[in-house]
Amino acid sequence: MQESLIPLLRDSVTPCRRSLTVGISSLMDDPISPQGPNRGLIVPRQQEIFSVLAHHITPAAPLLHAHATSRRSKKNKQNTNKARSMQVAITATVSAQHPHLKPSVSFLRPSPPHRVRIHPSSHRLCTRASAMAPSAPQQLTITRPDDWHLHLRDGQVLAAVLPHSEMHFQRAIVMPNLKPPVTTTARAVEYREEILRALPPGSSFTPLMTLYLTDTTSPEEIKIARKSGVVFAVKLYPAGATTNSQDGVTDILGKCLPVLEEMVRQEMPLLVHGEVTDPHVDTFDREKVFIERILAPLVQRLPQLKIVMEHITTMDAVNFVESCKEGNVAATVTPQHLLLNRNALFQGGLQPHNYCLPVLKRETHRQAIVSAVTSGSRQYFLGTDSAPHDKRMKECSCGCAGIYSAPVALSLYAKVFEQAGALDKLEAFTSFNGPDFYGLPRNNSKIVLRRSAWKVPATYTYGGGVIVPMSSGNTLEWLPSDQPEE
């Protein structure tokens, strides 16, 4: 595709042919791969090519102003006709060589300065001007959110981090990967009581408990969990996939099928850490391979099982979720996977506080997730995966995986949606889609986000040490407040 576009544009737009050739040729080291799960998306390399075309063509010739007025000269009209002919030729070339794509020809139309927008058929992968629009809102009032994926730990750490979550969130799905893990309803009830005792006086925060699925979990335990009224989901950790997952599942369909069938009957959701642990699979491909080997067969075997694919990190996950029936399969998305790519692990040296599992991925995957989340789809909802670790356990020879985001999560989600021009869709993502999927009522209370710069503390202290939060020491623009709107 790239080779055929270069001569075509060289003949059509002589003044910019050198920069075009350099720009497109620089993309040839990452060939277009239209196969497999990328169907329906413009492949990121092609998006970059279209951006290069728009960048070099738009300033190079007035012929791109297709809407010539009657006052324009005959020469300008001829140039306009030439632009249209070139546009048709490019589209024909793309379509002939890559019929699976549906690139919009709008990339040749004039766009606002420093902003190029590409519109695939079902996603909005685009870059937007960073400057704030003159009419940007100064305050947002939204229904109080819930956190559908939260690690609270226990003991001193629990007491230190719980206030950060209860300040901004009404409810939270609490992860069960303690030491030892929460594998029974009785233990889940005990853990819930521990959380409630640690809450500040007068707090209305509600922990929603989960069970840790193992090879030996029984269908009877699922019945007990449903009757308890405090357990709302079961968490699947493939053995060895992440923190405290050594007791996880080794063969989901071979050893856990009776439990999963009972979960269907009890309408109990399965929360999935979607990574394989096969040492022969590249770390950055673990999510994709999990979908192919485990998740897709599971959905096919038990189509009525409600599944949440937790903390998705790839466009493969986006495509899979959107290929499934709404209401049966959904996904949580973290602030780090919306804002950071894998470069954040290495910029300026190794950055242990940006290390989490699933690990950060390429920029193209980050863009796909942002596009999906800000599209308004009901299949995505807020799940911070806020995971506190002592600073010493992060900054060591074998550091823990996990990013502590609870104090900054709402501010960061607002940043993502504003950059995408989708603040009107923030409330559904934070406050509606989650409870709707779980069959729970939406919250009645509100929370206010004010455009007020605030600096994230470098650390938070607790009895045994310190915890470094996400965006440590940075200034954020949106400040959440539990105070009523002024």
Side-chain angles (χ1 to χ4, degrees):
M1 170 183 168
Q2 296 96 319
E3 292 84 350
S4 63
L5 285 177
I6 291 173
L8 174 64
L9 292 168
R10 182 184 295 121
D11 294 339
S12 302
V13 193
T14 302
C16 63
R17 64 186 179 192
R18 178 176 298 177
S19 55
L20 258 175
T21 303
V22 172
I24 296 176
S25 297
S26 67
L27 301 175
M28 291 184 183
D29 61 340
D30 194 355
I32 294 168
S33 177
Q35 304 302 318
N38 291 337
R39 62 190 185 279
L41 277 174
I42 261 187
V43 182
R45 290 287 92 177
Q46 291 163 321
Q47 185 190 356
E48 294 180 45
I49 291 171
F50 293 156
S51 297
V52 168
L53 294 176
H55 174 75
H56 290 291
I57 292 173
T58 300
L63 54 86
L64 298 178
H65 293 275
H67 303 289
T69 66
S70 60
R71 296 183 179 180
R72 288 189 177 177
S73 66
K74 181 178 179 180
K75 181 177 179 179
N76 283 342
K77 291 182 179 179
Q78 291 173 344
N79 285 340
T80 298
N81 292 333
K82 186 176 180 181
R84 290 172 177 166
S85 298
M86 183 178 66
Q87 183 172 330
V88 171
I90 291 174
T91 304
T93 301
V94 174
S95 300
Q97 297 192 12
H98 300 279
H100 63 286
L101 297 175
K102 298 180 181 179
S104 169
V105 297
S106 63
F107 72 87
L108 285 178
R109 297 172 188 161
S111 58
H114 310 297
R115 183 172 68 183
V116 176
R117 299 185 67 183
I118 306 300
H119 295 271
S121 56
S122 61
H123 294 270
R124 301 182 301 144
L125 294 183
C126 62
T127 58
R128 302 181 63 91
S130 59
M132 187 176 66
S135 59
Q138 300 302 302
Q139 180 169 293
L140 299 172
T141 301
I142 63 173
T143 301
R144 183 173 289 274
D146 303 303
D147 187 347
W148 300 97
H149 186 124
L150 177 64
H151 296 270
L152 288 174
R153 312 303 189 203
D154 52 8
Q156 292 182 329
V157 175
L158 167 64
V161 303
L162 181 57
H164 295 149
S165 290
E166 72 87 24
M167 184 182 302
H168 299 156
F169 301 102
Q170 182 65 49
R171 298 169 289 201
I173 287 283
V174 180
M175 293 296 106
N177 57 331
L178 303 180
K179 286 185 177 180
V182 181
T183 58
T184 66
T185 304
R187 178 66 184 101
V189 171
E190 292 176 359
Y191 185 27
R192 180 177 182 270
E193 291 301 317
E194 183 180 354
I195 295 169
L196 293 177
R197 287 193 297 270
L199 284 171
S203 173
S204 60
F205 177 83
T206 302
L208 309 177
M209 310 310 293
T210 60
L211 295 186
Y212 185 114
L213 184 64
T214 71
D215 289 344
T216 59
T217 301
S218 69
E220 186 62 28
E221 190 63 52
I222 303 302
K223 295 178 184 178
I224 296 171
R226 173 55 75 192
K227 291 179 182 178
S228 72
V230 302
V231 176
F232 289 83
V234 175
K235 181 63 184 285
L236 165 62
Y237 291 103
T242 188
T243 303
N244 296 341
S245 63
Q246 60 272 14
D247 298 312
V249 172
T250 60
D251 184 359
I252 181 69
L253 289 176
K255 297 183 178 180
C256 299
L257 188 58
V259 171
L260 299 176
E261 291 171 338
E262 186 61 39
M263 289 173 62
V264 172
R265 288 188 285 270
Q266 299 296 331
E267 298 184 345
M268 180 78 76
L270 177 69
L271 315 183
V272 175
H273 181 110
E275 291 189 289
V276 297
T277 56
D278 183 343
H280 297 100
V281 175
D282 188 280
T283 297
F284 294 99
D285 294 331
R286 287 168 62 170
E287 183 172 276
K288 177 182 178 181
V289 174
F290 181 89
I291 294 170
E292 295 169 350
R293 292 183 183 177
I294 299 173
L295 196 53
L298 175 59
V299 171
Q300 185 175 11
R301 181 72 177 266
L302 294 173
Q304 298 307 311
L305 178 64
K306 292 176 73 72
I307 296 175
V308 179
M309 192 173 183
E310 302 279 24
H311 41 53
I312 61 170
T313 67
T314 62
M315 69 171 63
D316 306 281
V318 168
N319 290 336
F320 178 79
V321 169
E322 295 184 359
S323 73
C324 297
K325 181 180 178 182
E326 183 177 307
N328 280 35
V329 177
T332 58
V333 186
T334 73
Q336 60 262 31
H337 292 113
L338 288 169
L339 284 165
L340 305 177
N341 61 36
R342 62 188 185 180
N343 289 343
L345 290 167
F346 310 108
Q347 289 173 338
L350 191 63
Q351 301 296 326
H353 297 288
N354 288 337
Y355 172 53
C356 60
L357 289 174
V359 71
L360 301 172
K361 303 299 195 300
R362 295 175 66 108
E363 173 65 9
T364 51
H365 292 295
R366 187 195 70 82
Q367 290 180 2
I369 296 171
V370 170
S371 178
V373 165
T374 60
S375 70
S377 171
R378 299 178 61 196
Q379 290 181 277
Y380 306 97
F381 41 86
L382 184 157
T384 65
D385 192 20
S386 180
H389 290 284
D390 188 276
K391 181 180 179 181
R392 293 166 296 185
M393 299 302 294
K394 295 286 290 181
E395 300 176 2
C396 62
S397 60
C398 187
C400 295
I403 296 177
Y404 183 53
S405 63
V408 298
L410 272 187
S411 300
L412 296 177
Y413 284 123
K415 175 181 179 179
V416 170
F417 277 76
E418 182 173 36
Q419 288 178 343
L423 277 176
D424 59 316
K425 297 179 175 64
L426 176 65
E427 185 176 32
F429 172 78
T430 62
S431 311
F432 297 160
N433 299 345
D436 291 354
F437 181 86
Y438 277 84
L440 297 173
R442 297 176 179 179
N443 297 321
N444 294 320
S445 58
K446 303 289 184 179
I447 192 168
V448 178
L449 291 102
R450 296 184 175 87
R451 194 182 296 280
S452 177
W454 65 285
K455 187 174 182 179
V456 181
T459 60
Y460 292 97
T461 61
Y462 70 100
V466 298
I467 299 168
V468 178
M470 185 177 178
S471 298
S472 170
N474 293 338
T475 298
L476 302 181
E477 191 166 349
W478 288 100
L479 178 64
S481 171
D482 58 355
Q483 297 300 314
E485 184 176 5
E486 294 177 353

